[in-house]
Amino acid sequence: MRSVKYSGAGQAAEVISLTEIENPQAGRGEVVVKVGAVGLNPVDVKIRAAATDFGPIEYTDRPGWDVAGIVSAVGDGADRWSVGDRVFALAAFPAAAHTLAEYAIVAAGDLAPAPASWSTAQAGAAPLVALTAWQALEAAGVTAGQRVLVLGGAGGVGHLAIQFAKARGAEVIATASEAKNDLVRSWGAGQVIDYRDAAELAAVPRVDAVIITVDDTLPPRGAVGEGTAVITITGLPDEQREQLEAWGAAPVERILVRADGTQLAEIAALAEAGAATVHLDSTFRLDELAAAQERVESGRVTGKVAVIVDRDL
């Protein structure tokens, strides 16, 4: 089968290649997935550029974590799944998973049925960002009637955090560029703030929770008050964390997404109910992975980039 391989640290076009390796075999508690599509995330390009572990995230020269496709083989103890099932997963994260290939091994517990209402490209693009958004809202304790501020509402995590918060019955405010206002509103944001407009930022009301999805970004002062939950997926310098807590925020929490097939199944149910969709910025073939990673590195992605491995799935 074809599989992506990195030759070491460096620019995408210099270190990415396609190689032929043997098809994987399912072990106990595992399935083999015939890969249809794989999502790309900022962590993919960061770990490729450095060719080393990224905190607790394991580096491997055969990359990929997101995956959607069809079950092609089932190992002992994975009897919940059958050959032919359409599935998606965040495989093994933060350990290596090797999903950027024609076939991938996935632990049975990481899998969920892919939403019938999503294309294979959408399902492949979703898992890491969808679970990140889901787990961020869980960490913030967001419930119906609360007000949530999503910083970076047009990004991969941000656009799903808006939809999931809306599905929980929360009022959502999001930041984005002015050009993306209508799109971000279509995902459920009641108010969209131009992140470059100081006056608009200053007018943001107090919120119950802030979800930070963008590096080096703080919520406006007026949004944070006593007990405001602040969740970051990127981390904050100590001085920014201390500033937020001085404003009254609950202790700022940084989360690292974890693979969870049960939560993905809940997300799939929302998708089937018409309450969640994945916006595809662009798609690329497997042999165009360098260009796909360069698109992610551009910082101009709206929603997600997907790599199509098998267009027939």
Side-chain angles (χ1 to χ4, degrees):
M1 71 171 186
R2 294 186 304 161
S3 173
V4 170
K5 183 176 175 61
Y6 296 155
S7 62
Q11 297 297 313
E14 298 170 354
V15 304
I16 293 174
S17 64
L18 281 179
T19 61
E20 287 286 336
I21 63 173
E22 291 187 2
N23 286 13
Q25 303 297 312
R28 182 166 185 80
E30 296 176 335
V31 305
V32 177
V33 175
K34 182 174 174 59
V35 179
V38 175
L40 288 186
N41 303 282
V43 67
D44 292 283
V45 299
K46 290 177 181 178
I47 206 165
R48 182 221 73 227
T52 187
D53 290 355
F54 192 68
I57 303 168
E58 183 178 322
Y59 171 75
T60 172
D61 62 357
R62 296 197 181 277
W65 286 288
D66 281 336
V67 64
I70 302 296
V71 173
S72 67
V74 178
D76 291 341
D79 299 336
R80 175 187 171 191
W81 303 104
S82 301
V83 172
D85 287 345
R86 185 170 178 265
V87 294
F88 72 144
L90 173 62
F93 195 87
H98 311 160
T99 62
L100 276 163
E102 292 180 314
Y103 291 87
I105 293 287
V106 183
D110 292 348
L111 287 167
S117 56
W118 286 358
S119 67
T120 298
Q122 288 176 302
L128 187 145
V129 293
L131 285 170
T132 301
W134 191 270
Q135 291 167 17
L137 293 169
E138 285 283 314
V142 172
T143 59
Q146 291 189 326
R147 183 183 289 144
V148 179
L149 172 62
V150 177
L151 300 181
V157 175
H159 87 294
L160 285 163
I162 291 168
Q163 295 174 72
F164 297 163
K166 181 73 172 178
R168 286 172 175 246
E171 174 190 346
V172 185
I173 303 170
T175 63
S177 65
E178 185 177 7
K180 298 175 182 177
N181 188 303
D182 289 344
L183 185 60
V184 175
R185 284 185 180 276
S186 75
W187 295 323
Q191 184 179 4
V192 183
I193 304 299
D194 186 343
Y195 68 90
R196 293 165 295 194
D197 189 318
E200 285 192 20
L201 289 169
V204 174
R206 160 82 181 280
V207 299
D208 298 289
V210 179
I211 309 299
I212 302 175
T213 74
V214 185
D215 288 333
D216 300 320
T217 302
L218 280 179
R221 173 66 184 91
V224 178
E226 191 66 33
T228 297
V230 179
I231 308 299
T232 173
I233 68 168
T234 62
L236 290 173
D238 288 343
E239 60 272 19
Q240 291 185 345
R241 180 186 299 270
E242 291 166 2
Q243 180 66 78
L244 286 167
E245 291 174 1
W247 292 347
V252 177
E253 182 176 352
R254 181 183 184 180
I255 68 163
L256 177 68
V257 65
R258 65 185 185 279
D260 192 317
T262 299
Q263 290 182 345
L264 272 183
E266 294 181 79
I267 290 165
L270 277 185
E272 299 290 48
T277 190
V278 178
H279 180 84
L280 291 176
D281 174 273
S282 48
T283 61
F284 297 82
R285 300 189 309 269
L286 188 61
D287 61 4
E288 298 173 321
L289 180 61
Q293 289 208 359
E294 288 166 357
R295 175 61 183 167
V296 174
E297 287 178 296
S298 74
R300 297 191 298 272
V301 172
T302 301
K304 283 300 302 290
V305 172
V307 177
I308 308 301
V309 179
D310 189 332
R311 292 189 179 277
D312 292 330
L313 297 186

